[in-house]
Amino acid sequence: MRPFTQHEGLMVSLDRANVDTDLIIPKQFLKSIRRTGFGPNLFDEIRYLDPYSAAEPEKERRPDPEFPLNQDRFKGASVLLARENFGCGSSREHAVWALDQFGIRSVIAPSFADIFKNNSFKSGLLPIEMPASVVDAWFETIAQGTNVTVAIDLKEERLTDSEGGEFSFAIDPFRRHCLLNDLDDIGITLQSSDRISEFEAQHQAKFPWLFREASL
Amino acid sequence: MAKTLYDKLWDSHLVEQREDGSALLYIDRHLLHEVTSPQAFEGLDLASRAPHRISANIAVPDHNVSTDPAERAMPGYSGVDDATSRLQLETLDTNCDRFGIPLIDLADNRQGIVHVMGPEQGATLPGMTIVCGDSHTATHGAFGSLAHGIGTSEVEHVLATQCLLTRKMKNFRIRIEGEVAAGVTAKDLALAVIGQIGTAGATGCALEFAGSAVRDLSMEGRMTLCNMAIEAGARVGMVAVDEKTLEYVAGRPMAPTGDEWDRALAFWNTLYSDPGAHFDVDIELDATVIKPHVTWGTSPEMVVSINDSVPTLDANASESQRKGYERALEYMGLRGGEPISSIAVDMVFIGSCTNARIEDMRAAAEVVKGRKKAANVERALVVPGSGLVKRQAEEEGLDQIFINAGLEWRSPGCSMCLAMNADRLEPGKRCASTSNRNFEGRQGAGGRTHLVSPAMAAAAAIAGHFVNPAQLEAVS
């Protein structure tokens, strides 16, 4: 995992509600057994004019100039501004990996789907929920041709934008603690090993049928 | 204090509750497949960790397998043309072998979609916590269990610690009361619920389905309903344990027997929401007015009944809603006001973890029996959910009914629900599908998906367009 403390970056806006993980990373890229290499195929089906060909994966494809991530004004953007229920659908963590590997460090939306939000913390991608009115105003500013840069301070849970706006946000305290201190979930849980073993022994005494060898 | 079903399942698996709201939940069963596990095993390797409790795990390949019977008849993975897919399938075998994880391999008759296989084998039992790196893990909640979809990092976490690091969700109950009309299935109830509360309606909640219409459903139907909880935003869908649950579980290969069965029953019979238990959200739907449903757009909440037309835009819609509505119509190649029954289909897909159980096969077969596929329907795939469903269907002669009607009888797998394998929609093609997601590109880039029940998909295969199965002309 990558820690997250502070980040300043350009916002790129994707004006659709219910962006699902199939759209973020289509299924043909889930055949990989690796954790890396997903960045070029982020939003693949709406990012390129030419469809992906499995037979020629390295083939150069024309970027769709209408798609925000391809536009010069958003070059180097690292904060994705999105609409409600971002990341709905499949549990594929590949969606988070694709965003991260493209260079997105934070997604700001009025709401997120549960599994996506949970997955994003594991790669140090910060999902920030902001009121719809604030998100609307940023969409409006960007649509009118003004780029917006935001500075995110996770420790203080504060966000300032290049328009002079200042906002607070809230992140699950445990997740915030992990991101700030670069703590890995498994490492933390293993600190409770004794408690887990104790629970497991009681659980087995109560529900012995759950502990039979799989009779395959 | 009165508890909900979710409260009871949570409390009986809570290892540690922390002050910051995070908690460790003990996991009884972990199901794995080839797509979301390789990076988790790699993570274990890199940290030199071993699975905490081998017997909690079962793996099966399903997402990326071929469903072509000829390819499946070839030894090992020699029938898999695509080298990347072959490597992914081989990697599951290798990882299971190296880490000692029990595996139902592709040649095994019990292989199938992980959410069909689990209940069939009794790997899914009431009162369990069950996780899998797949959002449709909610399916298993039909047994009064707490079943979560998880990401790959969590797959690794569960392998290493037997726990899920999580926090308690809210309690949401939907009571569906009354008797459904003939031809209305669990799928229609699921779509009606999603149409009512929206795709984010139950985000952050554990969703319990209750009411007489839910109790009336078979276990297969309850699995269909819980399966689609995630399409309403809930990671978890659940139904309380009753006689039907116990009847389904009894005698399954991994179900307890003898004294243990009696002990299990004593626990399982407590798995319901107590009268007076608190729900953060509690709503009721009238089952008697629900009709067969068809989605018209690119989100499961864009759904109407078979008698309706593609909706026109609400006059009060916001700018964002207008854009979403117009984009969906353009993608789907439809106009507002077009009657659903006038929409012609190019393909039909009957399968997926939502609708590929024996009851689904029977419902589809009943509709196509003695009839022929419409000429405009290019292909109609019937993909049983597991080898055991396939065998049972063949014993009942359903395969011949499908084949005689011009439908294809395939081998088990996830198939065209997510189209990772060769079963997919071509751009612009329209499909009546019994799967769970009608997102843009879900069944193939540019493909147009309409979600329906197995009977509705079968009827569309025969009529060439959407039609209430009850209104198909009598077989001469």
Side-chain angles (χ1 to χ4, degrees):
Chain A
M1 188 190 87
R2 188 189 345 211
F4 193 112
T5 49
Q6 292 176 327
H7 177 74
E8 186 168 344
L10 177 64
M11 214 148 57
V12 55
S13 55
L14 182 62
D15 195 1
R16 354 172 133 203
N18 301 316
V19 168
D20 59 77
T21 51
D22 276 86
L23 194 71
I24 299 173
I25 186 81
K27 81 281 291 167
Q28 60 267 39
F29 307 107
L30 307 191
K31 294 177 181 178
S32 168
I33 58 168
R34 319 230 163 272
R35 233 176 226 273
T36 52
F38 297 102
N41 303 108
L42 173 70
F43 293 117
D44 197 273
E45 283 171 11
I46 51 173
R47 183 165 152 197
Y48 299 103
L49 292 171
D50 310 301
Y52 173 80
S53 159
E56 297 174 281
E58 302 297 326
K59 192 183 159 202
E60 188 89 5
R61 291 187 290 157
R62 291 168 300 157
D64 182 345
E66 295 291 310
F67 188 62
L69 265 61
N70 294 331
Q71 293 168 1
D72 278 348
R73 64 177 286 209
F74 296 121
K75 206 170 165 58
S78 56
V79 178
L80 180 65
L81 180 67
R83 296 286 186 186
E84 64 270 15
N85 200 27
F86 186 86
C88 61
S90 151
S91 64
R92 59 188 71 168
E93 200 163 323
H94 311 64
V96 171
W97 300 336
L99 286 161
D100 177 56
Q101 289 157 21
F102 177 85
I104 301 294
R105 300 297 318 279
S106 174
V107 183
I108 301 178
S111 59
F112 292 89
D114 286 339
I115 303 180
F116 175 86
K117 184 159 92 177
N118 211 35
N119 285 343
S120 60
F121 290 112
K122 319 281 174 171
S123 291
L125 176 77
L126 188 67
I128 302 180
E129 279 166 349
M130 293 295 279
S133 58
V134 175
V135 169
D136 276 347
W138 278 326
F139 267 109
E140 185 68 15
T141 306
I142 294 169
Q144 284 173 2
T146 305
N147 273 3
V148 178
T149 302
V150 290
I152 300 163
D153 185 337
L154 177 59
K155 187 155 184 280
E156 300 298 325
E157 296 181 306
R158 297 286 296 170
L159 185 155
T160 55
D161 69 17
S162 49
E163 300 286 287
E166 279 197 43
F167 310 90
S168 61
F169 60 88
I171 299 292
D172 177 298
F174 172 73
R175 290 291 157 211
R176 178 168 159 269
H177 175 71
C178 290
L179 284 175
L180 288 173
N181 298 292
D182 194 13
L183 300 174
D184 131 77
D185 280 10
I186 298 179
I188 296 175
T189 300
L190 289 176
Q191 289 174 5
S192 299
S193 286
D194 291 349
R195 174 65 196 131
I196 295 170
S197 300
E198 186 192 349
F199 177 91
E200 196 165 45
Q202 292 164 353
H203 201 61
Q204 181 163 9
K206 263 196 266 181
F207 311 116
W209 61 91
L210 297 177
F211 290 77
R212 298 278 166 255
E213 294 302 314
S215 52
L216 296 179
Chain B
M1 202 182 112
K3 288 180 174 183
T4 66
L5 171 58
Y6 173 60
D7 294 338
K8 291 178 183 180
L9 293 167
W10 174 269
D11 290 349
S12 59
H13 291 83
L14 185 62
V15 176
E16 197 168 273
Q17 175 68 57
R18 295 167 186 161
E19 279 181 15
D20 61 11
S22 67
L24 280 182
L25 199 65
Y26 189 79
I27 299 303
D28 296 319
R29 175 70 67 214
H30 185 200
L31 303 167
L32 299 108
H33 62 85
E34 75 277 26
V35 176
T36 56
S37 67
Q39 298 87 351
F41 282 115
E42 185 189 44
L44 286 187
D45 253 343
L46 290 172
S48 304
R49 287 173 176 140
H52 177 92
R53 182 162 72 83
I54 295 282
S55 69
N57 302 280
I58 299 179
V60 66
D62 60 356
H63 281 61
N64 197 11
V65 303
S66 166
T67 66
D68 180 337
E71 285 179 22
R72 289 284 283 273
M74 293 169 73
Y77 297 123
S78 57
V80 184
D81 268 345
D82 176 28
T84 322
S85 296
R86 199 164 52 240
L87 177 63
Q88 188 170 54
L89 290 161
E90 286 166 354
T91 302
L92 181 68
D93 290 7
T94 312
N95 282 329
C96 288
D97 191 40
R98 287 179 51 233
F99 289 95
I101 305 285
L103 169 74
I104 294 179
D105 68 19
L106 195 57
D108 195 307
N109 199 29
R110 298 165 298 181
Q111 179 272 342
I113 305 172
V114 63
H115 309 308
V116 177
M117 176 281 291
E120 274 179 354
Q121 294 306 314
T124 301
L125 294 172
M128 271 184 167
T129 46
I130 302 171
V131 293
C132 173
D134 186 279
S135 61
H136 291 111
T137 307
T139 311
H140 308 265
F143 290 82
S145 64
L146 177 55
H148 283 262
I150 56 175
T152 295
S153 294
E154 290 177 319
V155 170
E156 184 183 339
H157 188 277
V158 171
L159 280 168
T161 69
Q162 212 52 51
C163 292
L164 190 65
L165 192 45
T166 185
R167 60 187 304 137
K168 198 170 178 196
M169 294 178 267
K170 288 182 183 164
N171 278 291
F172 191 141
R173 178 169 64 181
I174 296 183
R175 287 165 293 128
I176 315 178
E177 299 287 358
E179 205 172 316
V180 296
V184 174
T185 67
K187 183 64 162 285
D188 302 301
L189 299 185
L191 290 170
V193 164
I194 298 161
Q196 173 97 8
I197 70 172
T199 48
T203 300
C205 302
L207 188 54
E208 180 179 345
F209 297 101
S212 64
V214 175
R215 286 194 298 276
D216 286 347
L217 291 173
S218 64
M219 287 313 293
E220 283 85 353
R222 293 176 190 182
M223 284 188 252
T224 300
L225 187 59
C226 289
N227 172 278
M228 291 196 71
I230 184 68
E231 265 50 74
R235 281 177 92 169
V236 163
M238 288 168 301
V239 175
V241 170
D242 66 7
E243 280 303 314
K244 284 182 189 169
T245 324
L246 306 177
E247 204 174 293
Y248 183 101
V249 169
R252 299 275 160 187
M254 294 174 71
T257 53
D259 287 350
E260 278 190 1
W261 173 262
D262 296 335
R263 283 183 68 181
L265 273 194
F267 172 52
W268 295 348
N269 282 324
T270 67
L271 297 174
Y272 55 84
S273 288
D274 296 330
H278 173 74
F279 286 90
D280 301 279
V281 190
D282 196 3
I283 65 169
E284 185 172 321
L285 255 64
D286 179 1
T288 62
V289 300
I290 296 174
K291 297 190 171 56
H293 273 54
V294 183
T295 63
W296 58 267
T298 52
S299 164
E301 69 185 12
M302 294 172 164
V303 65
V304 290
S305 92
I306 179 67
N307 303 344
D308 292 331
S309 297
V310 176
T312 49
L313 187 61
D314 186 334
N316 301 319
S318 68
E319 178 65 10
S320 176
Q321 285 169 327
R322 184 186 63 77
K323 278 188 186 161
Y325 169 83
E326 286 172 356
R327 188 186 299 113
L329 279 194
E330 190 192 338
Y331 183 86
M332 294 299 291
L334 295 172
R335 288 172 289 106
E338 203 167 335
I340 292 293
S341 59
S342 72
I343 301 172
V345 302
D346 307 302
M347 296 271 285
V348 170
F349 171 60
I350 298 170
S352 87
C353 59
T354 313
N355 281 128
R357 298 178 181 84
I358 188 65
E359 186 176 277
D360 302 313
M361 300 291 118
R362 288 177 189 146
E366 192 182 313
V367 173
V368 303
K369 190 173 187 177
R371 297 184 162 111
K372 291 285 178 200
K373 175 175 76 66
N376 65 299
V377 176
E378 294 163 21
R379 288 180 75 186
L381 271 57
V382 186
V383 186
S386 71
L388 297 185
V389 170
K390 186 168 194 265
R391 187 178 68 191
Q392 167 99 32
E394 288 170 356
E395 281 169 6
E396 296 179 17
L398 307 185
D399 57 327
Q400 289 309 314
I401 294 175
F402 290 125
I403 292 165
N404 290 340
L407 282 66
E408 296 175 41
W409 181 242
R410 310 283 293 190
S411 296
C414 297
S415 182
M416 221 170 89
C417 172
L418 87 164
M420 268 191 82
N421 66 358
D423 308 340
R424 69 173 75 104
L425 272 186
E426 295 300 320
K429 295 292 181 187
R430 190 179 299 285
C431 183
S433 178
T434 67
S435 55
N436 40 58
R437 289 185 177 137
N438 51 348
F439 300 155
E440 285 183 28
R442 170 77 180 184
Q443 294 195 289
R448 295 164 170 167
T449 302
H450 295 268
L451 303 177
V452 288
S453 72
M456 287 279 286
I462 299 303
H465 58 86
F466 292 108
V467 61
N468 190 332
Q471 284 157 10
L472 274 180
E473 279 175 39
V475 180
S476 55

